Amino acid sequence: MGLNIAVLATGVPNDYKALEQAFLLKDKYPESKVAVFSIGACAAGVLREAMYRGADEALASDSFVPGCHDVVLCGCQCAEEIARLTSMTGLSCVVCVRSILSFSSGNIAVECVVENSIEESVLSLPVFASVDSSAVSCRPRNAYCLLRHNRGKSPQVSHAVALNAEQTCNGSVEVKECKYYQASDEGVRTFVKEILRTRVLQSADTAMSLKDSSVVVVGGYGVGSKETFDRLFELAHLLHGNVGATRPAVDAGYATRDRMIGQTGVVVRPELYIAFGVSGHTQHLCGVKECGVMISVNKDAEAPINAFADYSIIGDAREVIDKIITYCQQEL
Amino acid sequence: MNYYSDNEALEFYLKHPLLRRIVDMKEKGYGDAVGYDYAPTNFEEAVRGYEQVLELVGDLCAGTVAPNAERVEREKHTLEDGHVVYAPVTSENLKLFRQAGLMGVSLPRRYGGLNFPTMVFTMMQELVCRADAGFGNLWGLQDCASTINSFGSDEQKERYLPMVCAGATMSMDLTEPDAGSDLQNVRLKATYDSTSDQWYLDGVKRFITNGDSDIHLVLARSEEGSADGRGLSLFICEKSCGKVKTRRIEDKMGVQGSPTCEIVFEHAPAELCGSRKMGLIKYVMSLMNGARLGIATQSVAISQAAYSEALAFAKERCQFGKAVIELPPVYDMLGNIKARLDAARSLLYETARNVDMGYQFAELARERTLTPEERAESKLYSKIADALTPLVKGMGSEMVNENVYDAVQVHGGSGYMRDYACERLYRDARVTSIYEGTTQMQVVAAIRYATTGFYSQLVDEYLSFEPSQALASLHARVRAIANVYTEALEVVASFENQEMLDFLARRLYEMAGYCVMSALLLRDANACEELFASSLARFVAIGEAVVAGHSTYIKNFNVELLNKYKQ
């Protein structure tokens, strides 16, 4: 008696709560299979961790077909996604699950958090469920899974990422030589003078929509807060551009969904693209594949985006935004 | 924080050149790769696997076990209806390690184990004990399963080893109220009932670490009327039989992460492990050697924890307008802690490597007849392992006590308060020189390797390399203390008096310890100056002073002085 379980991961900590519920089900019904699907820009890390902790396979979102699984679990950040999928498929749905109690004859009993109290309910399979953030934490990595993975017998993760890149980007994202600027006052000032001033003069028309903007300023999860994200609007105003966001930034509530760029959001073709705190996963980059000049501000020099950026400033996005705004006001 | 990747010395010891041979022998042509998807296909992959798992352990230890260590002292284990209920944090730690698949680390894959060498298991144990020495005991007792693996029947292996890998806990039930160091005196009775073809155990065991374990290994008297070690056999007894009750949980000074129990066997059904009458002579010796290595590991681990705590405190604490680490009396203590820590660790992993090699040859001998060369090699590795095990257990545990003493001293008044971890480390360390054979018992086990000149031979061999220019003078100084030690041996031999030898044995043992450890650390420093050279210089300086002191004492010793000690 096994269940076919899917976990939808978007690359945020709550994914792990959903994973643990899937693993607990598998503990109880060992013949079950747990498949993890990446539906976020930053989910590659979660997918790898899922394999290290006991998932059976990790797959790209394209492979997810609603209706093929008995139970589909996701973190509480995905309540919206659940609503969309259930309305598409007409399947039963439950939110704020704290634990899954049992499974018998096509039904599943769950415990949900409803306005500060716990309620039990029974649902018929297949079911979509978002797991409450008060659910138990995820188990640690497992030595056997680590070794299995280490031996290269579970190439699903890298395969999934490669598949994604192939299907959605057609290999059109090329690796370029990137020029780096320092995050110091002088470095940012030079950057504004050398790069922004020339580019902005060339593309100085104010666009109406994000899709048609010639300058796009994008914030990722790395900007750290909604307050910092909001400063991007000041910069976009100075550069006569518009503001976009990555999936994790939207999930974190920094921006509204209509600003999302990438695989499941808007595709943009700006002449100038500046990314703050964006790591640069395929799912996001395929939404900007035809931009003119790509600039990245990221504290991690190894971030994937730097393989695609023309210019890069290595530093904390929050500090660099302030500096760029200051120098743009002086120099532009 | 990660206790593995934070500590470069560990990677150095993991990647010792002998590891290749150990792993090649252990993996036997990497044949398991066919039937087990987590088995390595070659040496490099095996080592990468060890590193990944060590990192996992290092993470769990720093992230969960260490923060839990303080809580376990407050929560305490309780006794309910003859059974132990672990403190909640202990259960949490155990659950974590079961989920992480770390319960059958060195057992063969066919029983669900990871098939890791002793070297790597030892390293994991260092990480766990650094976080919480008490939990380290509980977790480390899985090593008892190796005794079943070596000496049990196929049916026993198939029954018990998968249980261990799945997370069953173990205990080794040896000590009794009247049989501590003197295990020959064990009285717990094993009776064979021929009608039901079943052994039964009756009696009491005391001071049993994790005494309410799932699987007990019990030393019992199977030969009625016998009085010594030859009447003892080893038995396997399961908790699930319901006839083993915990009578009392000891209220002890430290290592509170594992309950220490007094247990009663009330006609408990048990299985004989291995052959009758070989219990103490063969199996408990094997069990004890593993356990002694475990305590040596625990000693190094607590030293590491004490050093980290003391160093951090000394950097932060300001007196007289500067951080106390800048004051000579303080950096004196810190430098000595680090030197003793590094030297003990060097000896620990040298011992573990030899235990591994000895074990691999014993395994090989079970499969086929060894060639004469292999037999000679096998004998040598086992002999080195047997000689170094009591040395590292005794020296390591005595040194950790010096280290925690100094670590508390570095903390000053704060170190006496429960607010700082070093107060717990101080108490935890104390038992290491007592259990699994007191230091005095280690001296008894080791002294023949001193008097026969085996330790001197080992030191010679360890010193037989061309040192780098920078280490040449230290090399000569280690050679010199080895000569002082050899002279002292000759002086004691010239007394031709067994009682004087027994009396002076501890001093000879310590001299041997300093010589062997200095030579080993010198070799490591020669391979990696950056990590070990400064500890080496300090350790040799301490060693010279100790060896000279003991030498003077021995030279001035005589029967009159011996008699003055008698109260």
Side-chain angles (χ1 to χ4, degrees):
Chain A
M1 194 168 73
L3 287 160
N4 226 337
I5 308 161
V7 177
L8 307 183
T10 63
V12 298
N14 279 322
D15 292 340
Y16 290 95
K17 301 270 178 174
L19 266 178
E20 181 58 21
Q21 290 304 317
F23 293 150
L24 285 171
L25 269 178
K26 197 181 167 181
D27 288 347
K28 263 192 218 162
Y29 310 104
E31 285 158 45
S32 301
K33 285 260 174 284
V34 177
V36 187
F37 294 86
S38 94
I39 54 168
C42 297
V46 181
L47 258 56
R48 197 182 55 235
E49 282 299 323
M51 294 303 292
Y52 286 166
R53 291 163 202 238
D56 296 288
E57 50 181 355
L59 298 159
S61 59
D62 320 48
S63 336
F64 179 71
V65 182
C68 285
H69 297 87
D70 301 310
V71 182
V72 180
L73 294 164
C74 57
C76 60
Q77 79 279 7
C78 288
E80 251 180 80
E81 193 75 28
I82 287 270
R84 189 173 68 81
L85 286 166
T86 43
S87 68
M88 255 166 64
T89 53
L91 300 174
S92 51
C93 137
V94 57
V95 293
C96 301
V97 172
R98 205 179 66 153
S99 77
I100 299 177
L101 303 169
S102 63
F103 150 66
S104 63
S105 58
N107 287 320
I108 201 159
V110 297
E111 234 181 35
C112 302
V113 182
V114 183
E115 290 168 6
N116 299 329
S117 69
I118 306 294
E119 273 182 19
E120 261 187 57
S121 50
V122 176
L123 299 130
S124 61
L125 299 177
V127 64
F128 281 82
S130 79
V131 177
D132 194 70
S133 56
S134 68
V136 289
S137 300
C138 192
R139 63 195 55 194
R141 290 178 175 185
N142 175 285
Y144 297 80
C145 299
L146 265 175
L147 294 172
R148 203 170 281 140
H149 199 81
N150 173 43
R151 211 178 81 161
K153 273 214 154 183
S154 300
Q156 285 94 331
V157 170
S158 49
H159 176 69
V161 174
L163 196 77
N164 242 350
E166 212 173 288
Q167 290 188 345
T168 56
C169 298
N170 302 319
S172 64
V173 183
E174 289 165 28
V175 177
K176 304 172 198 163
E177 274 298 311
C178 177
K179 183 173 177 189
Y180 290 91
Y181 285 89
Q182 297 295 316
S184 64
D185 287 344
E186 201 41 51
V188 173
R189 184 187 200 124
T190 316
F191 164 77
V192 170
K193 275 160 88 173
E194 284 182 6
I195 308 302
L196 287 192
R197 196 156 60 177
T198 50
R199 300 287 161 185
V200 171
L201 287 177
Q202 282 169 21
S203 54
D205 56 325
T206 308
M208 300 306 288
S209 72
L210 177 60
K211 202 169 174 343
D212 302 319
S213 286
S214 55
V215 175
V216 174
V217 179
V218 177
Y221 191 68
V223 302
S225 68
K226 184 156 180 5
E227 288 68 42
T228 318
F229 193 94
D230 288 342
R231 299 220 65 195
L232 298 178
F233 288 96
E234 287 178 48
L235 180 62
H237 179 72
L238 287 166
L239 301 178
H240 313 292
N242 217 324
V243 176
T246 65
R247 175 63 176 257
V250 172
D251 287 341
Y254 301 162
T256 49
R257 190 169 202 80
D258 54 329
R259 296 203 176 270
M260 192 164 86
I261 294 173
Q263 193 180 327
T264 47
V266 184
V267 174
V268 293
R269 291 179 179 76
E271 285 174 36
L272 180 63
Y273 164 95
I274 315 178
F276 290 87
V278 173
S279 56
H281 285 282
T282 309
Q283 292 87 340
H284 172 71
L285 289 183
C286 61
V288 290
K289 54 187 171 181
E290 285 168 28
C291 75
V293 173
M294 182 185 279
I295 295 161
S296 149
V297 178
N298 199 307
K299 65 179 169 196
D300 179 9
E302 309 273 300
I305 194 163
N306 290 334
F308 305 108
D310 299 281
Y311 304 98
S312 182
I313 301 174
I314 306 302
D316 192 321
R318 283 167 283 193
E319 291 162 19
V320 178
I321 288 171
D322 291 343
K323 289 180 188 166
I324 292 187
I325 290 174
T326 310
Y327 291 117
C328 281
Q329 284 163 343
Q330 290 174 14
E331 304 287 341
L332 292 185
Chain B
M1 263 242 280
N2 185 309
Y3 283 175
Y4 176 70
S5 41
D6 289 355
N7 192 344
E8 287 171 79
L10 295 178
E11 195 190 339
F12 173 84
Y13 288 114
L14 178 69
K15 296 194 173 160
H16 187 277
L18 196 59
L19 185 69
R20 177 179 281 273
R21 191 143 178 236
I22 294 168
V23 178
D24 282 352
M25 283 181 83
K26 184 144 185 113
E27 293 294 347
K28 302 183 181 88
Y30 302 89
D32 269 7
V34 181
Y36 302 90
D37 60 1
Y38 63 93
T41 54
N42 56 51
F43 173 70
E44 286 71 26
E45 215 165 70
V47 176
R48 213 161 53 236
Y50 301 153
E51 285 183 289
Q52 286 198 323
V53 176
L54 282 163
E55 252 168 52
L56 163 64
V57 178
D59 179 49
L60 297 181
C61 287
T64 308
V65 182
N68 277 349
E70 185 207 347
R71 270 173 59 204
V72 75
E73 297 215 313
R74 279 183 276 118
E75 290 179 352
K76 294 197 187 311
H77 313 288
T78 53
L79 194 58
E80 253 176 49
D81 199 20
H83 290 288
V84 173
V85 179
Y86 290 133
V89 282
T90 302
S91 303
E92 188 188 313
N93 289 346
L94 264 178
K95 182 177 167 197
L96 196 71
F97 275 67
R98 282 176 182 142
Q99 287 178 330
L102 297 167
M103 299 306 281
V105 172
S106 34
L107 294 175
R109 295 192 182 87
R110 91 185 85 109
Y111 305 117
L114 289 172
N115 200 44
F116 279 11
T118 303
M119 263 276 300
V120 182
F121 175 69
T122 300
M123 208 164 268
M124 287 184 185
Q125 207 172 5
E126 187 189 328
L127 302 174
V128 180
C129 289
R130 176 179 166 190
D132 179 352
F135 179 67
N137 284 340
L138 200 52
W139 177 80
L141 277 164
Q142 63 172 276
D143 198 38
C144 293
S146 303
T147 297
I148 300 182
N149 188 40
S150 296
F151 306 112
S153 66
D154 286 346
E155 294 75 38
Q156 286 170 340
K157 291 191 218 175
E158 263 148 45
R159 168 156 182 79
Y160 297 111
L161 302 188
M163 286 170 67
V164 175
C165 293
T169 62
M170 297 194 73
S171 62
M172 40 191 275
D173 308 357
L174 309 179
T175 304
E176 292 179 9
D178 294 313
S181 294
D182 182 15
L183 283 176
Q184 304 218 33
N185 204 27
V186 157
R187 285 194 197 141
L188 189 127
K189 207 161 81 184
T191 40
Y192 182 68
D193 178 40
S194 53
T195 50
S196 59
D197 185 25
Q198 177 74 55
W199 285 93
Y200 291 96
L201 304 178
D202 286 275
V204 177
K205 290 283 181 188
R206 193 172 72 151
F207 296 164
I208 306 305
T209 301
N210 193 34
D212 193 30
S213 68
D214 299 312
I215 303 168
H216 298 258
L217 287 182
V218 191
L219 183 66
R221 190 159 298 281
S222 55
E223 314 306 313
E224 219 186 332
S226 67
D228 62 9
R230 286 167 296 180
L232 302 174
S233 305
L234 189 67
F235 293 88
I236 310 171
C237 180
E238 280 183 73
K239 177 186 190 164
S240 59
C241 75
K243 306 283 187 185
V244 191
K245 293 276 166 64
T246 302
R247 192 154 76 176
R248 167 189 163 86
I249 299 176
E250 302 293 344
D251 191 5
K252 58 188 173 175
M253 184 191 280
V255 288
Q256 301 193 357
S258 58
T260 300
C261 309
E262 186 166 295
I263 53 180
V264 192
F265 291 80
E266 295 162 334
H267 215 55
E271 287 179 24
L272 181 68
C273 178
S275 318
R276 260 171 97 157
K277 304 188 203 174
M278 299 298 275
L280 181 65
I281 304 163
K282 193 167 176 189
Y283 313 135
V284 168
M285 282 305 133
S286 136
L287 207 55
M288 284 287 260
N289 269 338
R292 285 174 177 175
L293 187 65
I295 304 311
T297 312
Q298 187 174 54
S299 304
V300 170
I302 299 173
S303 288
Q304 175 67 54
Y307 174 66
S308 305
E309 289 291 324
L311 183 68
F313 185 88
K315 281 181 178 167
E316 232 166 61
R317 171 74 172 167
C318 288
Q319 289 289 280
F320 310 109
K322 52 182 150 185
V324 298
I325 194 168
E326 292 171 37
L327 305 168
V330 175
Y331 65 68
D332 172 20
M333 290 188 280
L334 277 169
N336 290 343
I337 298 175
K338 183 67 163 45
R340 289 185 293 246
L341 161 65
D342 284 349
R345 185 183 277 128
S346 181
L347 176 56
L348 173 66
Y349 290 109
E350 169 71 5
T351 311
R353 284 190 292 271
N354 282 284
V355 168
D356 258 321
M357 287 304 292
Y359 189 78
Q360 290 320 315
F361 274 113
E363 279 282 290
L364 194 61
R366 263 188 277 275
E367 284 167 24
R368 63 166 171 84
T369 323
L370 300 181
T371 64
E373 296 81 46
E374 285 172 339
R375 246 198 321 275
E377 239 191 322
S378 165
K379 240 176 119 179
L380 180 64
Y381 280 120
S382 304
K383 188 174 177 186
I384 299 176
D386 289 347
L388 294 186
T389 301
L391 198 64
V392 70
K393 198 281 184 183
M395 292 300 291
S397 62
E398 292 295 328
M399 282 183 178
V400 68
N401 276 286
E402 294 177 58
N403 289 341
V404 290
Y405 181 93
D406 282 348
V408 168
Q409 198 68 16
V410 167
H411 280 69
S414 302
Y416 199 66
M417 308 301 159
R418 298 245 154 135
D419 307 346
Y420 287 85
C422 80
E423 184 271 343
R424 171 172 52 81
L425 297 173
Y426 186 83
R427 289 180 289 107
D428 284 355
R430 191 61 192 86
V431 77
T432 59
S433 55
I434 297 171
Y435 61 6
E436 307 313 340
T438 58
T439 301
Q440 288 66 25
M441 292 304 289
Q442 305 308 312
V443 174
V444 170
I447 194 65
R448 83 186 89 126
Y449 300 105
T451 53
T452 57
F454 189 66
Y455 287 135
S456 309
Q457 275 174 39
L458 276 179
V459 172
D460 279 346
E461 205 202 295
Y462 292 146
L463 289 178
S464 62
F465 68 91
E466 199 54 52
S468 68
Q469 191 116 38
L471 296 175
S473 78
L474 280 165
H475 187 271
R477 285 165 64 190
V478 176
R479 176 83 69 195
I481 59 169
N483 290 339
V484 175
Y485 160 64
T486 310
E487 277 166 32
L489 278 175
E490 283 160 12
V491 172
V492 175
S494 72
F495 294 148
E496 292 182 348
N497 179 324
Q498 185 64 39
E499 196 175 352
M500 285 168 84
L501 170 64
D502 292 345
F503 186 90
L504 293 170
R506 170 77 185 270
R507 289 179 175 81
L508 292 174
Y509 169 90
E510 274 182 20
M511 292 168 93
Y514 273 99
C515 292
V516 169
M517 291 161 91
S518 301
L520 283 169
L521 194 57
L522 180 73
R523 227 173 45 162
D524 295 338
N526 201 57
C528 184
E529 230 178 282
E530 185 195 331
L531 278 180
F532 305 111
S534 84
S535 275
L536 171 71
R538 295 193 298 264
F539 191 76
V540 172
I542 307 170
E544 283 170 337
V546 172
V547 168
H550 285 345
S551 162
T552 309
Y553 186 95
I554 288 170
K555 278 180 188 157
N556 295 331
F557 196 71
N558 51 41
V559 181
E560 289 75 56
L561 183 54
L562 177 74
N563 288 330
K564 290 204 169 58
Y565 272 91
K566 295 178 179 168
Q567 314 279 316

